[in-house]
Amino acid sequence: MDWNFLSETFLKLVGAIPLTLELGALSMVLGSVLATCLAFMRLSGIRSVDGLARLYIFVFRGTPLLVQIFLIYYGLGQFPAIRHSFVWPFLREPYWCAILALTLNTGAYVAEIIRGGLMAVPNGQIEAARACGMSPLLRFRRIVMPLAIRQALPAYGNEIIATVKATSLASIITLMDVTGVAATIIAETYRTVEVFVVAGAIYLAINFLLTRLVMLAEYWLTPHLRQPPERLLVSAKGEA
């Protein structure tokens, strides 16, 4: 290992981290909005609406993200109607094509996570809120949504990490994220191992921070699962 080369590579790759984080964050925000709509479509009880959401989720969960990126970036430009539409200034840019592909893909996964969280809310608590006279909107805001978030957060955290790793595929459409810069350095130096070791370490550090943030959110959202300090003290004295 050439440590001077590793340090130089690290400094070059650090400059690409903002783009990687931007791709991941923007696609997760937009994907979560899309996923919420899909989840409510699945739970609507309307067969046609539910079937449409099922079809969307089946297609985007069942096909590789790489294929979706290629179809959006290279395929949509083949249609004259799209090239002459108002969306073409965005779809001809690799950045927005990557955002679109990541959003559509993560939206399909997060939709099932949100649906699972909503379905995991105990019916007894919903009935208790209804018996207290809460309106449907207040019941959803005070009871259903907080419980669903707690149930869905671990799986949602995994999807955030998966999306950050998936941003590496954006390099195939010329975006200079961490993987794109790493590929450029390899093409210039032919030193694959050192470059990808540094790139992998950067992704590992990013995901380590994300996992800690998710764990912190879980801790904050589940105060009822933590023993109060006096109970811990009593149990410790009993064991002694």
Side-chain angles (χ1 to χ4, degrees):
M1 289 288 183
D2 185 345
W3 295 106
N4 289 329
F5 176 75
L6 290 177
S7 61
E8 293 175 0
T9 301
F10 175 77
L11 293 176
K12 292 179 181 178
L13 295 182
V14 164
I17 291 178
L19 179 58
T20 295
L21 295 178
E22 189 176 331
L23 289 171
L26 188 55
S27 60
M28 281 304 302
V29 171
L30 297 176
S32 296
V33 174
L34 173 62
T36 302
C37 298
L38 291 170
F40 282 113
M41 289 172 66
R42 288 292 316 274
L43 298 172
S44 65
I46 304 173
R47 176 174 293 185
S48 59
V49 175
D50 180 26
L52 186 62
R54 284 175 180 268
L55 178 63
Y56 175 91
I57 293 171
F58 172 76
V59 170
F60 280 92
R61 291 177 67 188
T63 56
L65 176 58
L66 181 63
V67 174
Q68 296 166 18
I69 292 175
F70 277 143
L71 287 176
I72 291 174
Y73 184 64
Y74 296 108
L76 293 180
Q78 304 297 318
F79 299 96
I82 293 179
R83 291 199 305 270
H84 295 91
S85 67
F86 69 95
V87 298
W88 182 240
F90 296 96
L91 293 179
R92 69 183 179 185
E93 298 294 333
Y95 176 84
W96 291 111
C97 287
I99 291 292
L100 178 60
L102 289 167
T103 297
L104 296 177
N105 184 268
T106 194
Y109 286 94
V110 176
E112 290 297 279
I113 294 172
I114 294 176
R115 184 178 71 90
L118 292 171
M119 294 182 66
V121 177
N123 288 328
Q125 299 201 27
I126 299 176
E127 292 297 329
R130 185 180 290 114
C132 291
M134 289 187 180
S135 65
L137 181 60
L138 181 62
R139 190 164 62 240
F140 179 81
R141 183 171 63 86
R142 297 289 299 274
I143 305 298
V144 177
M145 186 175 67
L147 292 175
I149 291 175
R150 293 172 188 170
Q151 297 288 343
L153 187 58
Y156 186 73
N158 289 336
E159 181 58 24
I160 292 175
I161 294 170
T163 300
V164 171
K165 293 188 292 186
T167 59
S168 61
L169 295 176
S171 61
I172 64 175
I173 53 175
T174 71
L175 286 181
M176 289 294 101
D177 65 334
V178 172
T179 304
V181 174
T184 302
I185 297 173
I186 291 172
E188 295 173 351
T189 62
Y190 299 98
R191 303 178 73 166
T192 306
V193 175
E194 293 98 325
V195 176
F196 276 139
V197 164
V198 177
I202 289 175
Y203 281 108
L204 184 63
I206 293 172
N207 288 326
F208 175 80
L209 293 175
L210 290 175
T211 56
R212 291 302 172 270
L213 290 175
V214 172
M215 290 176 62
L216 182 62
E218 286 187 67
Y219 181 84
W220 179 66
L221 290 172
T222 54
H224 61 290
L225 298 180
R226 302 194 296 271
Q227 288 186 344
E230 58 271 13
R231 184 177 299 177
L232 292 175
L233 183 60
V234 170
S235 63
K237 289 181 178 179
E239 293 177 359

